[in-house]
Amino acid sequence: MENQKQTGPEAPIKVSTLNCINLSNPDIHQSVSLLKQACLDCGFFYVVNHGISQEFMDEVFVQSKKFFDLPLDEKMKILRSEKHRGYTPLLDEHLDLENQVHGDYKEGYYIGVNVPENDPESEKPFNGRNVWPESGVLPGWRETMEKFHHEALEVVKEVARIIALALDLEVDFFDKPDILGKPIAILRLLHYEGKISDPSKGIYGAGAHSDFGFVTLLATDDVMGLQICRDKDAKPQIWEYVTPIKGAFIVNLGDMLERWSNCIFKSTLHRVLGNGQDRYSIAYFVEPNHDCLVECLPTCKSENNPPKFPPIRCSTYLSQRYKDTHADLNAYNK
Ligand code: OGA
Ligand code: NI
């Protein structure tokens, strides 16, 4: 077993068991304890009864597929902007420079919080105008995505309240105006084309990475693909599949929260393997306000456990992480 290589479809399939948080559970202590255990362990858990209806989730997936079904030249008309809005083509994102021969076998579409150019806030790096397919092309598309963006933020705020309690902070520590009042919230539709991944050749749907920010909500269709690695330093690394649960979000903590909590809460390495089937997922990345100072939380340090990182502004941290993982936009101007 020692040198067993995780190659292709013949690799043993290991499936992860994750805690499931029911957001409608009146017993908040139970939710806090389940979430805390998950966050100390791997930072991945399911969330159910989150208030977004199944019908609406289904509709968002239908609309997402419609977009990716458009001809490439139509999609390239709304190539992602400097503000991270719009279409990201196949191979555009390169998450694991060490192990991937080229970018991810996925295409995506970014939708952020809309901040018009005449708003002084639009100067900030992740604020900007959303871009949309021409209205005649996909009627109702924009409205569906805007509604989802809005509803998913409410889910994140609810999760953030439980995270705060799990860190022995006030329940509204994160869910208050100067932290999640003007968040950097990015919805990302994803389509993994039916390419079979082959780790031995460096080919992945999405390369191994941990998410950059605070919290990510992930909705997927029923095609398996997402894997997590609980111990990135293990040799060989052990990858476990995360099974999709109908109607649930898979929630994971990002590096910013790991840093904020002085590494008490975990942000775990994950990746996506393609199995030859098309796969659709929707990720919603939420980070605090641009100016929020991410500084070791008061409950996460002590004399014996001093802060491991200096304070950093949320947007400074995030800008750097984006730059490191995305192709240079000038490459498409040729
Ligand atoms: C991501 C991610 C997983 C998936 O976009 O950061 O990990 O299943 N996505 O698409
Ligand atoms: Ni991720």
Side-chain angles (χ1 to χ4, degrees), residues 44 95 190 192 206-207 209-212 216 218 226 252 268 270-272 283 285:
F44 268 81
L95 286 165
L190 295 168
Y192 296 86
H209 66 282
S210 49
D211 292 354
F212 316 149
T216 307
L218 181 75
L226 176 66
N252 66 289
T268 286
H270 53 285
R271 68 184 187 186
V272 176
F285 304 99

Side-chain angles (χ1 to χ4, degrees), residues 20-28 30-32 34-35 45-52 151-163 217 247-249 251:
C20 184
I21 321 297
N22 174 358
L23 287 192
S24 306
N25 184 354
D27 182 355
I28 189 76
Q30 188 181 34
S31 301
V32 170
L34 282 170
L35 178 139
F45 50 90
Y46 297 105
V47 161
V48 295
N49 293 327
H50 42 65
I52 301 186
E151 292 196 2
L153 187 59
E154 294 309 306
V155 177
V156 169
K157 287 184 176 173
E158 205 48 55
V159 171
R161 295 172 77 79
I162 307 177
I163 292 176
L217 294 191
F249 282 113
V251 181

Side-chain angles (χ1 to χ4, degrees), residues 236-263:
Q237 287 180 332
I238 297 172
W239 291 90
E240 306 169 18
Y241 277 99
V242 176
T243 321
I245 297 181
K246 185 92 180 147
F249 282 113
I250 297 163
V251 181
N252 66 289
L253 311 185
D255 299 337
M256 192 187 289
L257 183 52
E258 184 176 271
R259 178 179 174 129
W260 218 345
S261 71
N262 217 13
C263 299

